[in-house]
């Protein structure tokens, strides 16, 4: 699974992308965020306020209950505002 981080999530995790293999009990984006939080203090900081994180699977916006599977591309980014 390819995970992409944008803006302050990239700064906090210290990486723009990584390949991960979450355990079988990770079935959805919410579970993936919880699992990623345990990878490092930076990851924990990035996901400390999950309501502030937007996400996409295979370039489609999704909510935390959206399923994930091996081979997916998952992106995490802050809320985007227009103006």
């Amino acid at each position: 699974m390819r995970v992409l981080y944008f803006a302050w999530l990239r700064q906090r995790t210290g990486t723009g992308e990584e390949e991960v293999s979450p355990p079988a009990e990770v079935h959805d984006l919410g579970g993936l965020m919880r699992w990623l939080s345990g990878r490092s203090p930076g990851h924990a900081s990035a996901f400390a306020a999950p309501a502030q994180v937007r996400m996409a699977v295979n370039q489609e916006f999704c909510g935390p209950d959206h399923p994930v599977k091996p081979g997916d591309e998952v992106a995490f980014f802050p809320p985007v505002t227009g103006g």
Side-chain angles (χ1 to χ4, degrees), residues 29-83:
L29 284 168
L32 180 63
M33 284 197 312
R34 286 187 295 278
W35 179 76
L36 288 169
S37 292
R39 291 179 58 85
S40 75
H43 286 79
S45 175
F47 296 114
Q52 297 295 319
V53 178
R54 300 297 175 258
M55 54 204 89
V57 174
N58 300 323
Q59 301 182 2
E60 297 212 10
F61 292 108
C62 302
D65 59 344
H66 190 278
V68 292
K69 62 188 180 318
D72 280 344
E73 178 187 82
V74 177
F76 294 106
F77 45 92
V80 179
T81 59

